[in-house]
Amino acid sequence: MSKNGFFITIEGPEGAGKTTVFHHLAAMLSEDGVDLITTREPGGIRISERIREIILNPEHEEMDGKTEALLYAAARRQHLVEKIEPALKEGKVVLCDRFIDSSLAYQGYARGLGIDEVLTINQFAIGQTMPDLTLFFDIDPEIGLERIVRNKGREVNRLDSESISFHQKVCEGYQEVLKRYPDRMVVIDASKPLEEVIQSAYSAVKAVTNG
Ligand SMILES: Nc1ncnc2c1ncn2[C@@H]1O[C@H](COP(=O)(O)OP(=O)(O)OP(=O)(O)O)[C@@H](O)[C@H]1O
Ligand SMILES: Cc1cn([C@H]2C[C@H](O)[C@@H](COP(=O)(O)O)O2)c(=O)[nH]c1=O
């Protein structure tokens, strides 16, 4: 696919503050006149939101790890062709809450399926369309999970309920992903107060989009 837009993803463990900062960042970039669309994974469009309901349903305890990885990749494929690629083709900035790196860290590393194996199924799903910039929200998983527990309004999904050792592995998985993609990934210290995290994310985007 030929594209002239710019693809930004936000990644990190549970409770890192991704979604909160995502909304602030979108508002700040729109204010700057950036032609932007916002979206999330799994989800973003009708079919992928339906797949999200299946994956994250806490009652689906018996879901096999490979089934999980394939469902994320299937949701990603439909999201890509229906929403992300058309927006990039039109020259827009796409801001997406989670994308392929979540699959590499959660399914590839933490579930033990293998980062290379999960990368292969995702390459089948997305071809060459990788993020241009990824903001990685770095936080101790225990602090992230504590934030979620304090946020009483948030529903707890099937992956939130995994053990602390699973969430620690997710963080190790992200460190592996960072080693693979140092050029597009920027580490944001997500343990800082919210205003500081928002400013770091905004500065990182401005630094690569020149303005
Ligand atoms: N820098 C921060 N300091 C303290 N609390 C924060 C900070 N950023 C976000 N929070 C709070 O932490 C909770 C989780 O934030 P948020 O939902 O944005 O995280 P997330 O990374 O999107 O989590 P998940 O991936 O699990 O959906 C919210 O209650 C939010 O208000
Ligand atoms: C895209 C993607 C997501 N996940 C996990 C990460 C979270 O536990 C949920 C999504 O919930 P959120 O509140 O929207 O962050 O799904 C994953 O394991 N693999 C993926 O590819």
Side-chain angles (χ1 to χ4, degrees):
M1 189 212 70
S2 70
K3 63 158 193 164
N4 41 33
F6 197 82
F7 186 17
I8 304 170
T9 59
I10 303 189
E11 291 282 354
E14 316 293 327
K18 299 178 298 299
T19 308
T20 307
V21 175
F22 168 88
H23 291 298
H24 286 277
L25 190 56
M28 291 161 90
L29 294 173
S30 299
E31 184 92 347
D32 291 344
V34 174
D35 191 5
L36 176 90
I37 69 149
T38 57
T39 192
R40 70 164 182 181
E41 288 216 345
I45 43 115
R46 189 170 62 115
I47 291 174
S48 307
E49 289 289 338
R50 299 285 292 273
I51 299 174
R52 179 187 176 98
E53 286 164 23
I54 295 170
I55 304 174
L56 296 181
N57 187 334
E59 289 173 9
H60 293 170
E61 288 166 350
E62 72 276 30
M63 190 177 290
D64 169 70
K66 287 187 182 175
T67 305
E68 184 182 274
L70 289 163
L71 285 172
Y72 279 116
R76 183 160 300 131
R77 171 70 193 165
Q78 190 64 30
H79 185 209
L80 186 90
V81 294
E82 216 183 304
K83 189 167 180 181
I84 296 174
E85 285 187 341
L88 291 174
K89 254 188 178 161
E90 287 171 19
K92 294 180 194 292
V93 170
V94 175
L95 181 62
C96 188
D97 191 348
R98 295 191 182 277
F99 193 65
I100 185 172
D101 301 322
S102 288
S103 284
L104 302 181
Y106 282 76
Q107 284 68 51
Y109 192 92
R111 286 270 186 251
L113 298 180
I115 291 183
D116 287 326
E117 287 74 2
V118 172
L119 183 58
T120 300
I121 61 166
N122 274 276
Q123 281 167 336
F124 177 68
I126 67 173
Q128 302 300 314
T129 306
M130 286 291 277
D132 297 300
L133 171 68
T134 298
L135 306 177
F136 171 63
F137 279 38
D138 195 12
I139 198 160
D140 183 304
E142 295 207 26
I143 298 176
L145 292 172
E146 265 169 38
R147 285 183 183 172
I148 284 176
V149 170
R150 267 189 267 125
N151 181 7
K152 302 254 187 273
R154 183 187 181 283
E155 72 179 37
V156 175
N157 69 46
R158 190 172 58 82
L159 275 90
D160 296 331
S161 316
E162 289 284 348
S163 64
I164 183 66
S165 67
F166 176 84
H167 292 290
Q168 267 150 358
K169 278 196 191 152
V170 168
C171 291
E172 288 167 25
Y174 272 122
Q175 294 306 320
E176 293 300 314
V177 177
L178 275 162
K179 281 187 212 151
R180 285 183 185 228
Y181 301 108
D183 293 345
R184 71 167 163 87
M185 296 186 80
V186 174
V187 179
I188 304 284
D189 183 351
S191 67
K192 299 268 191 218
L194 180 57
E195 271 312 315
E196 276 185 48
V197 182
I198 293 168
Q199 278 310 322
S200 304
Y202 181 67
S203 302
V205 171
K206 286 295 177 180
V208 292
T209 54
N210 298 323

